[in-house]
Coordinates of all heavy atoms in Angstrom, one line a residue:
M1 N -14.2 -16.4 -32.4 CA -15.4 -16.0 -31.7 C -14.9 -15.2 -30.5 O -14.0 -15.5 -29.8 CB -16.1 -17.3 -31.2 CG -17.3 -17.0 -30.4 SD -18.3 -18.5 -30.2 CE -19.9 -17.9 -30.2
R2 N -15.6 -14.1 -30.3 CA -15.3 -13.2 -29.1 C -16.3 -13.3 -28.0 O -17.5 -13.6 -28.2 CB -15.4 -11.7 -29.6 CG -14.1 -11.2 -30.1 CD -14.2 -9.8 -30.6 NE -15.1 -8.9 -29.8 CZ -15.3 -7.7 -30.1 NH1 -14.8 -7.1 -31.1 NH2 -16.2 -7.0 -29.4
M3 N -15.8 -13.2 -26.8 CA -16.7 -13.2 -25.7 C -17.4 -11.9 -25.6 O -16.9 -10.8 -26.0 CB -15.8 -13.3 -24.4 CG -15.0 -14.6 -24.2 SD -16.1 -16.0 -23.9 CE -16.7 -15.5 -22.3
P4 N -18.7 -11.9 -25.3 CA -19.5 -10.7 -25.2 C -18.8 -9.7 -24.2 O -18.5 -10.1 -23.1 CB -20.8 -11.2 -24.7 CG -20.9 -12.6 -24.9 CD -19.5 -13.1 -24.9
G5 N -18.7 -8.5 -24.6 CA -18.2 -7.5 -23.7 C -16.7 -7.5 -23.5 O -16.1 -6.7 -22.8
S6 N -16.0 -8.4 -24.2 CA -14.5 -8.5 -24.0 C -13.8 -7.2 -24.5 O -12.8 -6.8 -24.0 CB -13.9 -9.7 -24.7 OG -14.1 -9.7 -26.1
G7 N -14.4 -6.6 -25.6 CA -13.8 -5.4 -26.1 C -13.9 -4.2 -25.1 O -13.0 -3.4 -24.9
S8 N -15.0 -4.2 -24.4 CA -15.2 -3.1 -23.5 C -14.3 -3.2 -22.2 O -13.9 -2.3 -21.7 CB -16.7 -3.0 -23.0 OG -17.1 -4.2 -22.4
Q9 N -14.0 -4.5 -21.8 CA -13.1 -4.7 -20.7 C -11.7 -4.2 -21.1 O -11.0 -3.6 -20.3 CB -13.1 -6.1 -20.3 CG -14.3 -6.6 -19.5 CD -14.2 -8.0 -19.0 OE1 -13.6 -8.8 -19.7 NE2 -14.8 -8.3 -17.9
K10 N -11.3 -4.6 -22.3 CA -10.0 -4.2 -22.8 C -9.9 -2.7 -22.9 O -8.9 -2.1 -22.5 CB -9.7 -4.8 -24.2 CG -8.3 -4.6 -24.7 CD -8.1 -5.3 -26.0 CE -6.6 -5.0 -26.4 NZ -6.4 -5.7 -27.7
D11 N -10.9 -2.0 -23.4 CA -11.0 -0.6 -23.5 C -10.9 0.1 -22.1 O -10.2 1.1 -21.9 CB -12.2 -0.1 -24.2 CG -12.3 -0.4 -25.7 OD1 -11.2 -0.7 -26.2 OD2 -13.3 -0.4 -26.3
A12 N -11.6 -0.5 -21.2 CA -11.6 0.0 -19.8 C -10.2 -0.1 -19.2 O -9.7 0.8 -18.5 CB -12.6 -0.8 -18.9
M13 N -9.5 -1.3 -19.4 CA -8.1 -1.4 -18.9 C -7.2 -0.5 -19.6 O -6.3 0.1 -18.9 CB -7.7 -2.9 -19.1 CG -8.4 -3.9 -18.2 SD -8.2 -3.5 -16.5 CE -6.4 -3.7 -16.3
N14 N -7.4 -0.2 -20.9 CA -6.5 0.7 -21.6 C -6.7 2.1 -21.0 O -5.8 2.9 -20.9 CB -6.8 0.7 -23.1 CG -6.2 -0.5 -23.7 OD1 -5.3 -1.2 -23.2 ND2 -6.7 -0.8 -24.9
S15 N -8.0 2.5 -20.7 CA -8.3 3.8 -20.1 C -7.6 3.9 -18.7 O -7.1 5.0 -18.4 CB -9.8 4.0 -20.0 OG -10.4 4.1 -21.3
I16 N -7.7 2.9 -17.9 CA -7.1 2.9 -16.6 C -5.6 3.0 -16.7 O -5.0 3.9 -16.0 CB -7.5 1.7 -15.8 CG1 -9.0 1.7 -15.5 CG2 -6.7 1.5 -14.5 CD1 -9.6 0.4 -14.9
E17 N -5.0 2.3 -17.6 CA -3.5 2.4 -17.8 C -3.1 3.7 -18.3 O -2.1 4.3 -17.8 CB -3.1 1.3 -18.8 CG -3.1 -0.1 -18.2 CD -2.8 -1.2 -19.2 OE1 -2.5 -0.9 -20.4 OE2 -2.9 -2.4 -18.8
A18 N -3.9 4.3 -19.2 CA -3.6 5.7 -19.6 C -3.7 6.7 -18.5 O -2.9 7.6 -18.4 CB -4.5 6.0 -20.8
A19 N -4.7 6.5 -17.6 CA -4.9 7.4 -16.5 C -3.7 7.3 -15.5 O -3.2 8.3 -15.0 CB -6.2 7.2 -15.8
I20 N -3.2 6.1 -15.3 CA -2.1 5.9 -14.4 C -0.8 6.5 -15.0 O -0.1 7.2 -14.3 CB -1.9 4.4 -14.2 CG1 -3.0 3.8 -13.3 CG2 -0.5 4.1 -13.5 CD1 -3.1 2.3 -13.2
I21 N -0.6 6.3 -16.3 CA 0.6 6.9 -16.9 C 0.5 8.5 -16.8 O 1.5 9.1 -16.6 CB 0.7 6.5 -18.4 CG1 1.1 5.0 -18.4 CG2 1.7 7.3 -19.2 CD1 1.0 4.3 -19.8
A22 N -0.7 9.0 -17.1 CA -0.9 10.5 -17.0 C -0.6 11.0 -15.6 O 0.0 12.0 -15.4 CB -2.3 10.9 -17.5
E23 N -1.1 10.2 -14.6 CA -0.8 10.6 -13.2 C 0.6 10.6 -12.8 O 1.2 11.4 -12.1 CB -1.7 9.7 -12.3 CG -1.6 10.2 -10.8 CD -2.2 11.6 -10.6 OE1 -3.1 12.0 -11.3 OE2 -1.7 12.3 -9.7
K24 N 1.3 9.5 -13.3 CA 2.8 9.4 -13.0 C 3.5 10.6 -13.7 O 4.4 11.2 -13.1 CB 3.3 8.1 -13.6 CG 3.0 6.9 -12.8 CD 3.7 5.7 -13.5 CE 3.4 4.4 -12.7 NZ 4.1 3.3 -13.4
A25 N 3.1 11.0 -14.9 CA 3.8 12.1 -15.6 C 3.5 13.4 -14.9 O 4.4 14.2 -14.7 CB 3.3 12.2 -17.0
A26 N 2.3 13.6 -14.4 CA 1.9 14.8 -13.7 C 2.7 14.9 -12.4 O 3.2 16.0 -12.0 CB 0.4 14.9 -13.4
S27 N 2.8 13.8 -11.7 CA 3.5 13.7 -10.4 C 5.0 14.0 -10.6 O 5.6 14.7 -9.8 CB 3.4 12.4 -9.7 OG 2.0 12.2 -9.3
L28 N 5.6 13.5 -11.7 CA 7.0 13.7 -12.0 C 7.2 15.2 -12.3 O 8.2 15.8 -11.9 CB 7.4 12.8 -13.2 CG 8.9 13.0 -13.6 CD1 9.8 12.6 -12.4 CD2 9.2 12.1 -14.7
G29 N 6.3 15.8 -13.1 CA 6.4 17.2 -13.4 C 6.3 18.1 -12.2 O 7.1 19.0 -12.1
H30 N 5.4 17.7 -11.3 CA 5.3 18.5 -10.1 C 6.5 18.4 -9.2 O 7.0 19.4 -8.6 CB 4.0 18.1 -9.3 CG 3.7 18.9 -8.1 ND1 3.4 20.2 -8.2 CD2 3.8 18.6 -6.8 CE1 3.2 20.7 -7.0 NE2 3.5 19.7 -6.1
A31 N 7.0 17.2 -9.1 CA 8.3 17.0 -8.3 C 9.4 17.7 -8.9 O 10.2 18.3 -8.2 CB 8.6 15.5 -8.2
G32 N 9.5 17.8 -10.2 CA 10.6 18.6 -10.9 C 10.4 20.0 -10.7 O 11.4 20.8 -10.4
Y33 N 9.2 20.5 -10.7 CA 8.9 21.9 -10.4 C 9.3 22.3 -9.0 O 10.0 23.3 -8.7 CB 7.4 22.2 -10.6 CG 7.0 23.5 -10.1 CD1 7.2 24.7 -10.8 CD2 6.3 23.7 -8.9 CE1 6.8 25.9 -10.3 CE2 5.9 24.9 -8.4 CZ 6.1 26.0 -9.1 OH 5.7 27.3 -8.7
L34 N 9.0 21.4 -8.0 CA 9.4 21.7 -6.6 C 10.9 21.6 -6.4 O 11.5 22.4 -5.7 CB 8.7 20.7 -5.7 CG 7.2 20.8 -5.6 CD1 6.6 19.7 -4.7 CD2 6.8 22.2 -5.1
L35 N 11.5 20.7 -7.1 CA 13.0 20.7 -7.1 C 13.6 21.9 -7.6 O 14.5 22.5 -7.0 CB 13.5 19.4 -7.9 CG 15.0 19.4 -8.1 CD1 15.8 19.3 -6.8 CD2 15.3 18.1 -9.0
Q36 N 13.1 22.4 -8.8 CA 13.7 23.6 -9.4 C 13.5 24.8 -8.4 O 14.4 25.6 -8.3 CB 13.0 23.9 -10.7 CG 13.7 25.0 -11.5 CD 15.2 24.7 -11.8 OE1 15.4 23.7 -12.5 NE2 16.1 25.5 -11.3
K37 N 12.3 24.9 -7.8 CA 12.1 26.0 -6.8 C 13.1 25.9 -5.7 O 13.7 27.0 -5.3 CB 10.7 26.0 -6.3 CG 9.6 26.5 -7.2 CD 8.3 26.5 -6.6 CE 8.2 27.3 -5.3 NZ 6.9 27.5 -4.8
A38 N 13.4 24.7 -5.2 CA 14.3 24.6 -4.1 C 15.7 24.9 -4.5 O 16.5 25.6 -3.8 CB 14.2 23.1 -3.5
L39 N 16.1 24.5 -5.7 CA 17.4 24.9 -6.2 C 17.6 26.4 -6.5 O 18.6 27.0 -6.2 CB 17.7 24.1 -7.5 CG 17.9 22.6 -7.3 CD1 18.0 21.9 -8.7 CD2 19.1 22.2 -6.5
D40 N 16.5 27.0 -7.0 CA 16.5 28.4 -7.2 C 16.7 29.2 -5.8 O 17.5 30.1 -5.7 CB 15.3 28.9 -7.9 CG 15.2 28.5 -9.3 OD1 16.2 28.0 -9.9 OD2 14.1 28.6 -9.9
A41 N 16.0 28.7 -4.8 CA 16.1 29.3 -3.5 C 17.5 29.1 -2.9 O 18.1 30.1 -2.4 CB 15.1 28.7 -2.5
L42 N 18.1 27.9 -3.1 CA 19.5 27.7 -2.7 C 20.4 28.6 -3.4 O 21.3 29.2 -2.7 CB 19.8 26.2 -3.0 CG 21.2 25.8 -2.6 CD1 21.6 26.0 -1.2 CD2 21.4 24.3 -3.0
N43 N 20.3 28.8 -4.7 CA 21.2 29.7 -5.4 C 21.1 31.1 -5.0 O 22.0 31.9 -5.1 CB 20.9 29.5 -6.9 CG 21.4 28.2 -7.5 OD1 22.3 27.6 -6.9 ND2 20.7 27.8 -8.5
G44 N 19.9 31.5 -4.4 CA 19.7 32.9 -3.9 C 20.0 33.1 -2.5 O 19.8 34.1 -1.9
A45 N 20.6 32.0 -1.8 CA 20.9 32.1 -0.4 C 21.9 33.2 -0.1 O 22.9 33.4 -0.9 CB 21.4 30.8 0.1
S46 N 21.7 34.0 0.9 CA 22.5 35.1 1.2 C 23.5 34.9 2.4 O 24.5 35.5 2.5 CB 21.7 36.4 1.5 OG 20.8 36.1 2.6
S47 N 23.2 33.9 3.2 CA 24.1 33.6 4.4 C 24.4 32.1 4.4 O 23.7 31.3 3.8 CB 23.4 34.0 5.7 OG 22.3 33.2 6.0
Q48 N 25.5 31.8 5.1 CA 25.8 30.4 5.2 C 24.8 29.6 6.0 O 24.4 28.4 5.6 CB 27.2 30.2 6.0 CG 27.7 28.8 6.0 CD 27.9 28.2 4.6 OE1 28.2 28.9 3.7 NE2 27.7 26.9 4.6
E49 N 24.2 30.2 7.0 CA 23.1 29.5 7.8 C 21.9 29.2 6.9 O 21.3 28.1 6.9 CB 22.7 30.4 8.9 CG 21.7 29.7 9.8 CD 21.3 30.6 11.0 OE1 22.2 30.8 11.9 OE2 20.2 31.1 11.1
E50 N 21.5 30.2 6.1 CA 20.4 30.0 5.1 C 20.8 29.0 4.1 O 19.9 28.1 3.8 CB 20.1 31.4 4.5 CG 18.9 31.3 3.5 CD 18.6 32.6 2.8 OE1 19.6 33.4 2.6 OE2 17.5 32.8 2.3
R51 N 22.0 29.0 3.6 CA 22.4 28.0 2.6 C 22.4 26.6 3.2 O 22.0 25.7 2.5 CB 23.9 28.4 2.2 CG 24.3 27.5 1.0 CD 25.6 28.2 0.4 NE 25.9 27.4 -0.8 CZ 25.3 27.4 -2.0 NH1 24.2 28.1 -2.1 NH2 25.7 26.7 -3.0
E52 N 22.7 26.4 4.4 CA 22.7 25.1 5.1 C 21.2 24.6 5.1 O 21.0 23.4 4.7 CB 23.2 25.1 6.5 CG 24.7 25.2 6.6 CD 25.4 24.0 6.0 OE1 24.9 22.8 6.3 OE2 26.4 24.1 5.3
A53 N 20.3 25.4 5.5 CA 18.9 25.0 5.6 C 18.3 24.7 4.2 O 17.6 23.7 3.9 CB 18.1 26.0 6.3
L54 N 18.7 25.6 3.2 CA 18.2 25.4 1.8 C 18.8 24.2 1.1 O 18.2 23.6 0.3 CB 18.4 26.7 1.0 CG 17.5 27.9 1.5 CD1 17.9 29.1 0.8 CD2 16.0 27.5 1.3
T55 N 20.1 23.9 1.5 CA 20.7 22.7 1.0 C 19.9 21.4 1.4 O 19.7 20.5 0.6 CB 22.2 22.6 1.4 OG1 22.8 23.7 0.8 CG2 22.8 21.3 0.8
D56 N 19.5 21.4 2.7 CA 18.7 20.3 3.2 C 17.4 20.2 2.5 O 17.0 19.1 2.1 CB 18.5 20.5 4.7 CG 19.7 20.2 5.6 OD1 20.7 19.5 5.1 OD2 19.8 20.6 6.7
A57 N 16.8 21.3 2.3 CA 15.5 21.4 1.6 C 15.6 20.9 0.2 O 14.8 20.1 -0.3 CB 14.9 22.8 1.7
A58 N 16.7 21.3 -0.5 CA 16.9 20.9 -1.9 C 17.2 19.4 -2.0 O 16.8 18.7 -2.9 CB 18.0 21.7 -2.5
A59 N 17.9 18.9 -1.0 CA 18.2 17.5 -1.0 C 16.9 16.7 -0.8 O 16.8 15.6 -1.5 CB 19.2 17.1 0.1
S60 N 16.1 17.1 0.0 CA 14.8 16.5 0.2 C 14.0 16.5 -1.1 O 13.4 15.4 -1.5 CB 14.0 17.1 1.3 OG 12.7 16.5 1.5
R61 N 13.9 17.6 -1.8 CA 13.2 17.7 -3.1 C 13.9 16.9 -4.2 O 13.2 16.3 -5.0 CB 13.1 19.2 -3.5 CG 12.2 20.0 -2.6 CD 10.8 19.5 -2.6 NE 10.0 20.4 -1.9 CZ 8.8 20.2 -1.5 NH1 8.2 19.0 -1.8 NH2 8.1 21.0 -0.8
A62 N 15.2 16.8 -4.2 CA 15.9 16.0 -5.2 C 15.6 14.6 -4.9 O 15.4 13.8 -5.9 CB 17.4 16.3 -5.1
W63 N 15.6 14.1 -3.7 CA 15.3 12.7 -3.4 C 13.9 12.4 -3.8 O 13.7 11.4 -4.5 CB 15.4 12.5 -1.9 CG 15.0 11.1 -1.4 CD1 15.8 10.0 -1.5 CD2 13.8 10.7 -0.9 NE1 15.1 8.9 -1.0 CE2 13.8 9.3 -0.7 CE3 12.6 11.4 -0.7 CZ2 12.8 8.6 -0.2 CZ3 11.5 10.7 -0.2 CH2 11.6 9.3 0.1
A64 N 12.9 13.2 -3.6 CA 11.6 13.0 -4.0 C 11.5 12.9 -5.5 O 10.8 12.0 -6.0 CB 10.6 14.1 -3.4
Y65 N 12.2 13.8 -6.2 CA 12.1 13.8 -7.7 C 12.8 12.5 -8.2 O 12.2 11.9 -9.1 CB 12.9 15.0 -8.2 CG 13.0 15.0 -9.7 CD1 11.9 15.3 -10.5 CD2 14.2 14.8 -10.3 CE1 11.9 15.3 -11.9 CE2 14.3 14.7 -11.7 CZ 13.1 15.0 -12.5 OH 13.2 15.0 -13.8
L66 N 13.9 12.1 -7.7 CA 14.6 11.0 -8.2 C 13.8 9.7 -7.9 O 13.8 8.8 -8.7 CB 16.0 10.9 -7.6 CG 16.9 12.0 -8.1 CD1 18.3 12.0 -7.4 CD2 17.1 12.1 -9.6
V67 N 13.1 9.6 -6.8 CA 12.3 8.5 -6.5 C 11.1 8.4 -7.4 O 10.8 7.4 -8.0 CB 11.8 8.5 -5.0 CG1 10.7 7.5 -4.8 CG2 13.0 8.2 -4.1
Q68 N 10.5 9.6 -7.7 CA 9.4 9.6 -8.6 C 9.8 9.2 -10.0 O 9.1 8.5 -10.7 CB 8.8 11.0 -8.7 CG 7.5 11.1 -9.5 CD 6.4 10.3 -9.0 OE1 6.2 10.2 -7.8 NE2 5.6 9.6 -9.8
R69 N 11.0 9.6 -10.4 CA 11.6 9.1 -11.7 C 11.6 7.6 -11.8 O 11.3 6.9 -12.7 CB 13.0 9.7 -12.0 CG 13.0 11.1 -12.5 CD 14.4 11.6 -12.8 NE 15.2 10.6 -13.5 CZ 15.3 10.6 -14.8 NH1 14.5 11.4 -15.6 NH2 16.1 9.7 -15.4
E70 N 12.1 7.0 -10.7 CA 12.3 5.6 -10.6 C 10.9 4.9 -10.7 O 10.7 3.8 -11.3 CB 13.0 5.1 -9.4 CG 14.5 5.4 -9.4 CD 15.3 4.9 -8.3 OE1 14.8 4.0 -7.6 OE2 16.4 5.3 -8.1
L71 N 9.9 5.5 -10.0 CA 8.6 4.9 -10.1 C 8.0 5.0 -11.5 O 7.1 4.2 -11.9 CB 7.6 5.7 -9.1 CG 7.9 5.5 -7.7 CD1 7.1 6.4 -6.8 CD2 7.6 4.0 -7.3
C72 N 8.5 5.9 -12.3 CA 8.1 6.0 -13.7 C 8.9 5.1 -14.6 O 8.7 5.1 -15.8 CB 8.2 7.5 -14.2 SG 7.0 8.6 -13.4
G73 N 9.8 4.4 -14.0 CA 10.6 3.4 -14.8 C 11.9 4.0 -15.3 O 12.6 3.4 -16.1
L74 N 12.2 5.2 -14.9 CA 13.5 5.9 -15.4 C 14.5 5.7 -14.3 O 14.6 6.4 -13.3 CB 13.2 7.4 -15.6 CG 12.0 7.7 -16.5 CD1 11.7 9.2 -16.4 CD2 12.4 7.3 -17.9
R75 N 15.4 4.7 -14.5 CA 16.3 4.2 -13.5 C 17.6 5.0 -13.5 O 18.3 5.1 -12.5 CB 16.6 2.8 -13.7 CG 15.4 1.9 -13.7 CD 14.9 1.6 -12.3 NE 13.9 0.6 -12.2 CZ 12.6 0.9 -12.1 NH1 12.2 2.1 -11.9 NH2 11.7 -0.1 -12.0
D76 N 18.1 5.5 -14.6 CA 19.4 6.2 -14.7 C 19.1 7.7 -14.4 O 18.5 8.4 -15.2 CB 20.0 6.0 -16.1 CG 21.4 6.6 -16.2 OD1 21.9 7.2 -15.2 OD2 22.0 6.4 -17.3
N77 N 19.6 8.2 -13.3 CA 19.4 9.5 -12.9 C 20.5 10.5 -13.3 O 20.4 11.7 -13.0 CB 19.3 9.6 -11.3 CG 18.0 8.9 -10.9 OD1 16.9 9.1 -11.5 ND2 18.0 8.2 -9.8
R78 N 21.5 10.1 -14.0 CA 22.6 11.0 -14.3 C 22.2 12.1 -15.2 O 22.6 13.3 -14.9 CB 23.7 10.2 -15.0 CG 24.5 9.2 -14.1 CD 25.5 8.4 -14.8 NE 24.7 7.5 -15.7 CZ 25.3 6.5 -16.4 NH1 26.6 6.3 -16.3 NH2 24.5 5.7 -17.1
Q79 N 21.3 11.9 -16.2 CA 20.8 13.0 -17.0 C 20.0 14.0 -16.3 O 20.1 15.2 -16.5 CB 20.1 12.4 -18.2 CG 19.8 13.5 -19.3 CD 21.0 14.1 -19.9 OE1 21.9 13.4 -20.3 NE2 21.0 15.4 -19.9
A80 N 19.1 13.5 -15.4 CA 18.3 14.3 -14.6 C 19.1 15.2 -13.7 O 18.9 16.4 -13.5 CB 17.3 13.5 -13.7
V81 N 20.2 14.7 -13.1 CA 21.1 15.4 -12.2 C 21.7 16.5 -13.0 O 21.8 17.7 -12.6 CB 22.1 14.5 -11.5 CG1 23.2 15.3 -10.8 CG2 21.4 13.6 -10.5
A82 N 22.1 16.2 -14.2 CA 22.8 17.2 -15.1 C 21.8 18.2 -15.6 O 22.1 19.4 -15.6 CB 23.4 16.5 -16.3
D83 N 20.6 17.8 -16.0 CA 19.6 18.7 -16.5 C 19.2 19.8 -15.4 O 19.0 20.9 -15.8 CB 18.3 18.0 -16.9 CG 18.5 17.2 -18.2 OD1 19.5 17.4 -18.9 OD2 17.6 16.3 -18.5
Y84 N 19.0 19.3 -14.2 CA 18.7 20.3 -13.1 C 19.9 20.9 -12.5 O 19.7 21.8 -11.6 CB 17.9 19.6 -12.1 CG 16.4 19.4 -12.4 CD1 15.9 18.3 -13.1 CD2 15.5 20.4 -12.2 CE1 14.6 18.1 -13.4 CE2 14.2 20.3 -12.6 CZ 13.7 19.2 -13.2 OH 12.4 19.0 -13.5
A85 N 21.1 20.5 -12.9 CA 22.3 21.0 -12.3 C 22.3 20.9 -10.8 O 22.6 21.9 -10.1 CB 22.6 22.5 -12.8
I86 N 22.0 19.8 -10.3 CA 21.9 19.6 -8.9 C 23.3 19.6 -8.4 O 24.2 18.7 -8.8 CB 21.2 18.2 -8.5 CG1 19.8 18.2 -9.1 CG2 21.2 18.0 -7.0 CD1 19.1 16.9 -9.0
P87 N 23.7 20.5 -7.4 CA 25.0 20.6 -6.9 C 25.4 19.3 -6.1 O 24.6 18.6 -5.6 CB 25.0 21.8 -6.0 CG 23.7 22.5 -6.3 CD 22.8 21.5 -6.9
A88 N 26.7 19.1 -6.1 CA 27.3 17.9 -5.4 C 26.9 17.9 -3.9 O 26.6 16.9 -3.4 CB 28.8 17.8 -5.6
Q89 N 26.9 19.1 -3.3 CA 26.6 19.1 -1.9 C 25.1 18.7 -1.6 O 24.8 18.2 -0.6 CB 26.9 20.5 -1.3 CG 26.0 21.6 -1.6 CD 26.5 22.4 -2.8 OE1 27.3 21.9 -3.6 NE2 26.1 23.7 -2.9
V90 N 24.2 19.0 -2.6 CA 22.9 18.6 -2.5 C 22.8 17.0 -2.6 O 22.1 16.3 -1.9 CB 21.9 19.3 -3.5 CG1 20.6 18.7 -3.5 CG2 21.9 20.8 -3.2
M91 N 23.5 16.5 -3.7 CA 23.4 15.1 -3.9 C 24.0 14.3 -2.7 O 23.5 13.3 -2.4 CB 24.2 14.7 -5.2 CG 23.6 15.2 -6.5 SD 21.9 14.5 -6.7 CE 22.3 12.8 -6.9
A92 N 25.0 14.9 -2.1 CA 25.7 14.2 -0.9 C 24.7 14.1 0.3 O 24.9 13.3 1.1 CB 26.9 15.0 -0.5
R93 N 23.7 15.0 0.3 CA 22.8 15.0 1.5 C 21.5 14.2 1.2 O 20.7 14.1 2.1 CB 22.4 16.4 1.8 CG 23.5 17.1 2.5 CD 23.1 18.4 3.2 NE 24.3 19.2 3.5 CZ 24.2 20.3 4.1 NH1 23.0 20.8 4.4 NH2 25.3 21.0 4.3
I94 N 21.3 13.7 0.0 CA 20.1 12.9 -0.3 C 20.1 11.7 0.6 O 21.1 10.9 0.7 CB 20.1 12.5 -1.8 CG1 19.8 13.7 -2.6 CG2 19.0 11.4 -2.0 CD1 19.7 13.5 -4.1
G95 N 19.0 11.5 1.3 CA 18.9 10.3 2.2 C 19.4 10.6 3.6 O 19.3 9.7 4.5
V96 N 20.2 11.6 3.8 CA 20.7 11.9 5.1 C 19.6 12.5 6.0 O 18.9 13.4 5.7 CB 21.9 12.9 5.1 CG1 22.4 13.3 6.4 CG2 23.0 12.4 4.2
R97 N 19.5 11.9 7.2 CA 18.5 12.3 8.1 C 19.1 13.1 9.3 O 20.1 12.6 9.8 CB 17.7 11.1 8.7 CG 16.8 10.5 7.6 CD 16.0 9.4 8.1 NE 15.1 9.9 9.2 CZ 13.8 10.0 9.1 NH1 13.2 9.7 8.0 NH2 13.1 10.5 10.1
K98 N 18.6 14.2 9.6 CA 19.1 15.0 10.7 C 18.6 14.4 12.0 O 17.4 14.0 12.0 CB 18.6 16.4 10.6 CG 19.2 17.2 9.4 CD 20.5 17.7 9.7 CE 21.0 18.5 8.5 NZ 22.3 19.1 8.7
P99 N 19.4 14.3 13.0 CA 18.9 13.8 14.3 C 17.8 14.8 14.9 O 17.9 16.0 14.7 CB 20.1 13.8 15.2 CG 21.1 14.6 14.5 CD 20.8 14.7 13.1
T100 N 16.8 14.2 15.4 CA 15.8 15.0 16.0 C 16.1 15.3 17.5 O 16.8 14.5 18.1 CB 14.4 14.3 15.9 OG1 14.5 13.1 16.6 CG2 14.0 14.1 14.5
K101 N 15.7 16.4 18.0 CA 15.9 16.7 19.4 C 14.9 16.0 20.2 O 13.7 15.9 19.9 CB 15.8 18.2 19.6 CG 16.8 19.0 18.8 CD 16.6 20.5 19.1 CE 17.6 21.3 18.2 NZ 17.5 22.7 18.4
P102 N 15.4 15.4 21.3 CA 14.4 14.7 22.2 C 13.5 15.7 22.9 O 13.8 16.9 23.1 CB 15.3 14.0 23.2 CG 16.7 14.7 23.1 CD 16.7 15.3 21.8
N103 N 12.3 15.2 23.2 CA 11.3 16.1 23.8 C 11.9 16.4 25.2 O 12.3 15.6 26.0 CB 10.0 15.4 24.0 CG 9.3 15.2 22.6 OD1 9.6 15.9 21.7 ND2 8.5 14.2 22.5
A104 N 11.8 17.7 25.5 CA 12.3 18.2 26.8 C 11.2 18.1 27.9 O 10.1 18.1 27.7 CB 12.8 19.6 26.7

């Protein structure tokens, strides 16, 4: 014997779960796109000063991408690092915070 409306609740939950999975996938794709843009900019750097700033930006984007992967249940980041060819100097800066200047 089925409870009245139990099928529709299950369908509703499946729809919500599907929407959550789709949103996670879209967020991961967007984070990957932003990472690739940051890495492309870094590869096109013309001066050491520009390279330093772009390395920081790429590290920030790499961190965001890797965190988003973990939120999607993808815990092993080695393949992602290889796929995006994230340089060692970028990986070394993930999570590093630059000191802020005190207000003058």
